Amino acid sequence: MKFTFQKSERLTQVKIIDSLFQKDSQIVAQRFVYPFRVLYQFGPQPLEFPQILISVPKRKFKKAVDRNLIKRRIREAYRLNKASHLGEGKEKLPDFLAFVYIASTIEPFDRINKKMQQVLQEFSNTKKDATKIS
């Protein structure tokens, strides 16, 4: 598998993004692994690759340069680690993932990469639950 991050892997559908961030939603699950809050849900029909969204709050990082740096680090960590969790015999990742950066400082890439591995490993170890879109 190639270590790429294609446009088809980016979550751009407004309806799905709204459903991910809807308060008290029954179809969305979340996990906290510092420095991430991960929101996820499974779609009605499985996708080949999960679609992801990366969000860095403007409230904590006023400068766009800082927000873009964090997003680049998260995207690179995901790109490098997704291949080991998408192969044959692995539990499928959720169809839609949103990574919200909750730290108040800019973490080094090593820590972000390690935590991304931890998040993806947790998804590989757990079974699909009742978070399907109807």
Side-chain angles (χ1 to χ4, degrees):
M1 173 175 263
K2 293 183 179 181
F3 292 102
T4 60
F5 186 68
Q6 300 174 352
K7 188 168 178 92
S8 62
E9 296 178 62
R10 296 170 196 245
L11 182 55
T12 58
Q13 299 164 335
V14 176
K15 190 174 183 180
I16 295 172
I17 293 170
D18 287 343
S19 72
L20 272 174
F21 288 98
Q22 185 178 14
K23 292 224 185 264
D24 300 326
S25 176
Q26 299 296 320
I27 60 172
V28 177
Q30 67 179 349
R31 294 190 178 170
F32 289 94
V33 178
Y34 186 83
F36 301 118
R37 173 179 167 219
V38 184
L39 304 164
Y40 62 95
Q41 69 185 31
F42 292 91
Q45 57 261 31
L47 300 173
E48 183 180 358
F49 294 108
Q51 291 185 340
I52 73 162
L53 171 89
I54 299 168
S55 175
V56 180
K58 193 173 187 178
R59 180 181 289 180
K60 291 185 180 179
F61 299 98
K62 302 292 185 201
K63 296 182 180 177
V65 175
D66 295 336
R67 292 192 303 273
N68 291 337
L69 172 69
I70 294 168
K71 286 190 271 189
R72 274 196 311 272
R73 288 180 179 177
I74 295 170
R75 200 167 38 243
E76 181 69 5
Y78 176 77
R79 184 186 71 82
L80 292 174
N81 293 306
K82 73 173 181 176
S84 61
H85 301 284
L86 289 175
E88 292 292 322
K90 302 280 186 180
E91 186 64 33
K92 187 176 177 335
L93 292 175
D95 294 319
F96 307 110
L97 289 160
F99 293 96
V100 180
Y101 191 79
I102 58 173
S104 56
T105 60
I106 299 174
E107 298 288 337
F109 176 73
D110 295 337
R111 183 170 294 145
I112 290 175
N113 191 28
K114 182 178 167 187
K115 294 300 183 171
M116 181 64 71
Q117 288 173 350
Q118 184 179 344
V119 167
L120 295 176
Q121 186 64 39
E122 284 182 17
F123 284 123
S124 296
N125 291 339
T126 58
K127 295 290 182 194
K128 194 186 291 189
D129 54 6
T131 56
K132 287 195 173 213
I133 299 176
S134 332

